[in-house]
Coordinates of all heavy atoms in Angstrom, one line a residue:
M167 N -9.5 27.7 -1.7 CA -8.6 28.0 -0.6 C -9.4 28.2 0.7 O -8.9 27.7 1.8 CB -7.7 29.2 -0.9 CG -6.6 29.0 -2.0 SD -5.6 30.4 -2.3 CE -6.6 31.5 -3.1
A168 N -10.5 28.9 0.7 CA -11.3 29.1 1.9 C -11.8 27.8 2.3 O -11.8 27.5 3.5 CB -12.4 30.0 1.5
L169 N -12.3 26.9 1.5 CA -12.8 25.6 1.8 C -11.8 24.6 2.4 O -12.1 23.8 3.3 CB -13.5 24.9 0.6 CG -14.8 25.6 0.1 CD1 -15.4 24.9 -1.0 CD2 -15.8 25.9 1.2
V170 N -10.6 24.7 1.9 CA -9.5 23.9 2.4 C -9.2 24.2 3.9 O -9.1 23.4 4.8 CB -8.2 24.0 1.6 CG1 -7.0 23.4 2.4 CG2 -8.3 23.4 0.3
V171 N -9.3 25.6 4.2 CA -9.1 26.0 5.5 C -10.3 25.6 6.4 O -10.0 25.1 7.5 CB -8.9 27.5 5.6 CG1 -8.9 28.0 7.0 CG2 -7.7 28.0 4.8
I172 N -11.4 25.7 5.9 CA -12.6 25.3 6.7 C -12.6 23.8 6.9 O -13.0 23.3 8.1 CB -14.0 25.7 5.9 CG1 -14.1 27.2 5.9 CG2 -15.1 25.1 6.6 CD1 -15.2 27.7 5.1
A173 N -12.2 23.0 5.9 CA -12.2 21.6 6.1 C -11.2 21.1 7.2 O -11.4 20.1 7.8 CB -11.9 20.9 4.8
L174 N -10.1 21.9 7.4 CA -9.0 21.6 8.3 C -9.4 22.0 9.8 O -8.7 21.6 10.7 CB -7.7 22.1 7.9 CG -7.2 21.6 6.6 CD1 -6.0 22.3 6.2 CD2 -6.9 20.1 6.8
L175 N -10.4 22.8 9.9 CA -10.8 23.4 11.3 C -11.7 22.3 12.0 O -12.8 22.2 11.6 CB -11.5 24.8 11.2 CG -10.6 25.9 10.6 CD1 -11.5 27.1 10.5 CD2 -9.4 26.1 11.5
R176 N -11.1 21.7 13.0 CA -11.8 20.6 13.7 C -13.0 21.2 14.5 O -13.9 20.4 14.8 CB -10.9 19.9 14.6 CG -9.7 19.2 14.0 CD -10.2 17.9 13.4 NE -9.2 17.2 12.8 CZ -9.2 15.9 12.7 NH1 -10.1 15.2 13.2 NH2 -8.2 15.2 12.0
R177 N -13.0 22.4 14.8 CA -14.1 22.9 15.7 C -15.4 23.0 14.9 O -16.5 23.3 15.5 CB -13.7 24.3 16.3 CG -12.6 24.2 17.3 CD -12.3 25.4 18.0 NE -11.3 25.4 19.0 CZ -10.9 26.3 19.8 NH1 -11.5 27.5 19.7 NH2 -10.0 26.1 20.7
I178 N -15.3 23.1 13.5 CA -16.5 23.2 12.7 C -17.2 21.8 12.8 O -16.7 20.8 12.5 CB -16.2 23.6 11.3 CG1 -15.6 25.0 11.3 CG2 -17.4 23.5 10.4 CD1 -15.2 25.4 9.9
P179 N -18.6 21.8 13.1 CA -19.3 20.6 13.2 C -19.3 19.8 11.9 O -19.1 20.3 10.7 CB -20.8 21.0 13.5 CG -20.6 22.4 14.0 CD -19.4 23.0 13.4
Y180 N -19.4 18.4 12.1 CA -19.3 17.6 10.9 C -20.3 17.9 9.8 O -20.0 17.8 8.6 CB -19.5 16.1 11.3 CG -19.4 15.1 10.2 CD1 -18.2 14.6 9.8 CD2 -20.6 14.6 9.6 CE1 -18.1 13.7 8.7 CE2 -20.5 13.7 8.6 CZ -19.3 13.2 8.2 OH -19.2 12.3 7.1
R181 N -21.5 18.3 10.2 CA -22.6 18.5 9.3 C -22.2 19.7 8.4 O -22.5 19.8 7.2 CB -23.9 18.7 10.0 CG -23.9 19.9 11.0 CD -25.3 20.0 11.7 NE -25.4 21.0 12.7 CZ -25.0 20.9 13.9 NH1 -24.5 19.7 14.3 NH2 -25.1 21.9 14.7
A182 N -21.6 20.8 9.0 CA -21.2 21.9 8.2 C -20.0 21.5 7.3 O -19.9 21.9 6.2 CB -20.8 23.1 9.2
F183 N -19.0 20.8 7.8 CA -17.9 20.2 7.1 C -18.4 19.5 5.8 O -17.9 19.6 4.8 CB -17.0 19.4 8.0 CG -16.1 18.4 7.1 CD1 -15.0 18.9 6.5 CD2 -16.5 17.1 7.0 CE1 -14.2 18.0 5.8 CE2 -15.7 16.2 6.3 CZ -14.5 16.7 5.7
R184 N -19.4 18.6 6.1 CA -20.0 17.8 4.9 C -20.6 18.7 3.8 O -20.3 18.4 2.6 CB -21.1 16.9 5.5 CG -21.8 16.1 4.5 CD -22.8 15.2 5.1 NE -23.7 14.6 4.1 CZ -24.9 15.2 3.7 NH1 -25.2 16.3 4.2 NH2 -25.6 14.6 2.8
L185 N -21.3 19.7 4.2 CA -21.9 20.6 3.2 C -20.8 21.3 2.4 O -20.9 21.5 1.2 CB -22.9 21.5 3.8 CG -24.2 20.9 4.5 CD1 -25.0 21.9 5.2 CD2 -25.0 20.2 3.4
V186 N -19.8 21.8 3.2 CA -18.7 22.5 2.6 C -18.0 21.6 1.6 O -17.6 22.0 0.5 CB -17.8 23.1 3.7 CG1 -16.4 23.5 3.1 CG2 -18.5 24.3 4.4
H187 N -17.7 20.4 2.1 CA -16.9 19.4 1.3 C -17.7 19.1 0.0 O -17.1 18.9 -1.1 CB -16.7 18.2 2.1 CG -15.5 17.4 1.8 ND1 -14.3 17.9 2.0 CD2 -15.3 16.2 1.1 CE1 -13.3 17.1 1.5 NE2 -13.9 16.0 1.1
K188 N -19.0 19.1 0.0 CA -19.8 18.8 -1.2 C -19.6 19.8 -2.3 O -19.7 19.5 -3.5 CB -21.3 18.9 -0.8 CG -22.2 18.3 -1.8 CD -22.3 16.8 -1.6 CE -23.5 16.2 -2.5 NZ -23.6 14.8 -2.3
A189 N -19.2 21.0 -1.9 CA -19.0 22.1 -2.9 C -17.7 22.0 -3.7 O -17.6 22.5 -4.7 CB -19.0 23.4 -2.2
F190 N -16.8 21.0 -3.2 CA -15.6 20.9 -3.9 C -15.8 20.3 -5.4 O -15.0 20.7 -6.3 CB -14.7 19.9 -3.2 CG -13.9 20.5 -2.1 CD1 -14.3 20.4 -0.8 CD2 -12.7 21.2 -2.4 CE1 -13.5 21.0 0.2 CE2 -12.0 21.8 -1.5 CZ -12.4 21.7 -0.1
G191 N -16.8 19.6 -5.6 CA -17.1 19.0 -6.9 C -17.4 20.2 -7.9 O -16.9 20.2 -9.0
A192 N -18.3 21.1 -7.5 CA -18.6 22.3 -8.4 C -17.4 23.2 -8.6 O -17.1 23.7 -9.7 CB -19.7 23.1 -7.7
I193 N -16.6 23.4 -7.5 CA -15.3 24.2 -7.7 C -14.3 23.5 -8.6 O -13.7 24.2 -9.4 CB -14.7 24.4 -6.3 CG1 -15.6 25.3 -5.4 CG2 -13.3 24.9 -6.4 CD1 -15.2 25.5 -4.0
F194 N -14.3 22.1 -8.5 CA -13.3 21.5 -9.5 C -13.7 21.7 -10.9 O -12.9 22.0 -11.8 CB -13.2 20.0 -9.2 CG -12.5 19.3 -10.2 CD1 -11.1 19.3 -10.3 CD2 -13.2 18.5 -11.2 CE1 -10.3 18.7 -11.3 CE2 -12.5 17.9 -12.2 CZ -11.0 18.0 -12.2
I195 N -15.0 21.6 -11.2 CA -15.5 21.7 -12.5 C -15.2 23.1 -13.0 O -14.8 23.4 -14.2 CB -17.1 21.4 -12.6 CG1 -17.2 19.9 -12.4 CG2 -17.6 21.8 -14.0 CD1 -18.7 19.5 -12.3
A196 N -15.5 24.1 -12.2 CA -15.1 25.5 -12.5 C -13.6 25.7 -12.8 O -13.2 26.3 -13.8 CB -15.5 26.5 -11.4
G197 N -12.8 25.0 -12.0 CA -11.3 25.1 -12.1 C -10.9 24.4 -13.4 O -10.0 24.9 -14.1
A198 N -11.6 23.3 -13.8 CA -11.2 22.6 -15.0 C -11.6 23.4 -16.2 O -10.9 23.5 -17.2 CB -11.9 21.2 -15.0
F199 N -12.7 24.1 -16.2 CA -13.2 24.9 -17.2 C -12.2 26.1 -17.5 O -11.8 26.4 -18.5 CB -14.6 25.5 -16.9 CG -15.1 26.6 -17.8 CD1 -15.5 26.3 -19.1 CD2 -15.1 27.9 -17.4 CE1 -16.0 27.3 -19.9 CE2 -15.6 28.9 -18.2 CZ -16.0 28.6 -19.5
H200 N -11.8 26.7 -16.3 CA -10.8 27.8 -16.3 C -9.4 27.3 -17.0 O -8.9 28.0 -17.8 CB -10.6 28.3 -14.9 CG -9.4 29.2 -14.7 ND1 -9.4 30.5 -15.0 CD2 -8.2 28.9 -14.2 CE1 -8.2 31.0 -14.7 NE2 -7.4 30.0 -14.3
G201 N -8.9 26.2 -16.4 CA -7.7 25.8 -16.9 C -7.5 25.4 -18.3 O -6.6 25.7 -19.0
L202 N -8.5 24.6 -18.8 CA -8.5 24.1 -20.1 C -8.7 25.2 -21.2 O -8.1 25.2 -22.3 CB -9.5 22.9 -20.3 CG -9.3 21.7 -19.4 CD1 -10.5 20.7 -19.6 CD2 -7.9 21.0 -19.9
L203 N -9.6 26.1 -20.8 CA -9.9 27.1 -21.8 C -8.7 28.2 -22.0 O -8.5 28.7 -23.0 CB -11.2 28.0 -21.4 CG -12.2 28.2 -22.5 CD1 -12.7 26.7 -22.9 CD2 -13.3 29.0 -22.1
L204 N -8.0 28.3 -20.9 CA -6.8 29.2 -20.9 C -5.5 28.6 -21.2 O -4.5 29.3 -21.2 CB -6.7 30.0 -19.5 CG -7.9 30.9 -19.2 CD1 -7.7 31.6 -17.8 CD2 -8.1 32.0 -20.3
L205 N -5.5 27.3 -21.5 CA -4.3 26.7 -21.9 C -3.8 27.1 -23.2 O -4.7 27.2 -24.2 CB -4.5 25.1 -21.9 CG -3.3 24.2 -21.8 CD1 -2.6 24.4 -20.4 CD2 -3.7 22.8 -22.1
P206 N -2.6 27.6 -23.4 CA -2.1 28.1 -24.7 C -2.3 27.1 -25.8 O -2.3 25.9 -25.7 CB -0.6 28.4 -24.5 CG -0.5 28.4 -23.0 CD -1.5 27.6 -22.4
K207 N -2.7 27.6 -27.0 CA -3.0 26.8 -28.1 C -1.9 25.8 -28.5 O -2.2 24.7 -28.9 CB -3.4 27.7 -29.3 CG -4.7 28.5 -29.1 CD -5.0 29.3 -30.3 CE -6.2 30.1 -30.1 NZ -6.7 31.0 -31.3
D208 N -0.6 26.3 -28.4 CA 0.4 25.4 -28.9 C 0.6 24.2 -27.9 O 1.2 23.2 -28.3 CB 1.8 26.2 -29.0 CG 2.1 27.0 -27.7 OD1 1.2 27.1 -26.8 OD2 3.3 27.4 -27.5
F209 N 0.0 24.3 -26.6 CA 0.2 23.1 -25.8 C -0.7 21.9 -26.3 O -0.4 20.8 -25.9 CB -0.3 23.5 -24.3 CG 0.7 24.2 -23.5 CD1 1.5 25.2 -24.0 CD2 0.9 23.8 -22.2 CE1 2.5 25.8 -23.2 CE2 1.9 24.4 -21.4 CZ 2.7 25.4 -21.9

Side-chain angles (χ1 to χ4, degrees):
M167 289 184 288
L169 293 183
V170 168
V171 173
I172 292 173
L174 294 175
L175 293 177
R176 296 282 181 152
R177 292 187 177 182
I178 295 179
Y180 179 85
R181 58 184 179 274
F183 159 79
R184 173 180 169 270
L185 294 175
V186 164
H187 209 66
K188 193 88 170 176
F190 276 100
I193 291 173
F194 171 76
I195 293 174
F199 171 76
H200 165 82
L202 294 176
L203 230 64
L204 294 179
L205 201 65
K207 293 180 180 179
D208 54 344
F209 275 45

